[in-house]
Amino acid sequence: MYITCLDLEGVLVPEIWIAFAEASGIPELKRTTRDEPDYDKLMKWRIGILKEHGLGLKEIQDTIATIDPIPGAKEFLDELRSFSQVIIISDTFTQFATPLMKKLGWPTIFCNSLEVADSGEITGFRMRIENSKLTTVKALQSIGYETIASGDSYNDLGMIKASKAGFLFKSTDKIKADNPELPAFDTYDELMAAIKAAMK
């Protein structure tokens, strides 16, 4: 029994924070998990910048409404789900992910949640579980699944390396150079072929 675990941002949809950095004109917000391995540190820093600029959930959701999946992502997911169980495991938040899940045909996603004040200010965040991607993959393995995982960032490496087969997808040159043992792909066709081969 196989289950495929995919990251969301950078793999199926563009990076939300990069899109918001461009929309809001705050270049510092372009920093993502491709640049900062410590997610807790990254999120606290982002929340501080939002507060400084008086920006809240609504402004980010307005940007998310304009984001479409990466070309080919929905077709890739549709085909993948025809022969494999698929779970998207993301460090994003339900308040960000829901509109994107609609555009992707409502795949299953495990993610986190934001703490939002009545004013719309983002005051904090609640992680579903510590080290959520690796922990989730290990939990799936404990109930009899072989996992195949793919992602693009530092926070994906745990689940990729712990899986029966794991692949980098649309990753950075640095992450690829630091993890030469991991196959790295840039197109959905390559990733699909690798997943199918891993299941044989």
Side-chain angles (χ1 to χ4, degrees), residues 63 76 111 162 182:
T63 295
F76 166 77
C111 59
L182 296 177

Side-chain angles (χ1 to χ4, degrees), residues 50-72:
L50 293 175
K51 192 177 177 69
E52 195 182 304
H53 290 269
L55 297 168
L57 179 60
K58 182 188 182 301
E59 289 80 7
I60 299 176
Q61 286 179 327
D62 287 348
T63 295
I64 292 169
T66 69
I67 295 175
D68 286 320
I70 293 168

Side-chain angles (χ1 to χ4, degrees), residues 1 13 19 31 98 100 108 127 142 147 150 160 177 187-188 191:
M1 291 286 288
V13 302
R31 192 167 176 75
T98 303
L100 296 167
T108 298
M127 302 300 278
S142 79
T147 59
S150 185
I160 290 171
T187 72
Y188 292 119
L191 182 57

Side-chain angles (χ1 to χ4, degrees), residues 21-125:
E22 288 167 358
S24 62
I26 306 170
E28 308 94 282
L29 287 174
K30 286 188 177 178
R31 192 167 176 75
T32 71
T33 48
R34 289 166 158 237
D35 315 297
E36 172 54 72
D38 185 334
Y39 192 73
D40 190 64
K41 181 176 162 188
L42 179 64
M43 269 311 298
K44 285 176 176 163
W45 179 78
R46 286 167 167 168
I47 289 170
I49 290 177
L50 293 175
K51 192 177 177 69
E52 195 182 304
H53 290 269
L55 297 168
L57 179 60
K58 182 188 182 301
E59 289 80 7
I60 299 176
Q61 286 179 327
D62 287 348
T63 295
I64 292 169
T66 69
I67 295 175
D68 286 320
I70 293 168
K74 184 176 184 303
E75 293 77 8
F76 166 77
L77 258 187
D78 287 347
E79 184 182 339
L80 186 58
R81 289 160 75 193
S82 74
F83 64 86
S84 172
Q85 295 295 314
V86 179
I87 296 178
I88 297 170
I89 308 175
S90 173
D91 277 341
T92 194
F93 306 95
T94 50
Q95 295 95 329
F96 291 0
T98 303
L100 296 167
M101 293 306 98
K102 183 177 182 181
K103 291 179 180 181
L104 286 168
W106 297 113
T108 298
I109 183 168
F110 292 173
C111 59
N112 306 302
S113 61
L114 291 168
E115 294 168 353
V116 184
D118 291 343
S119 64
E121 181 189 342
I122 297 170
T123 55
F125 57 98

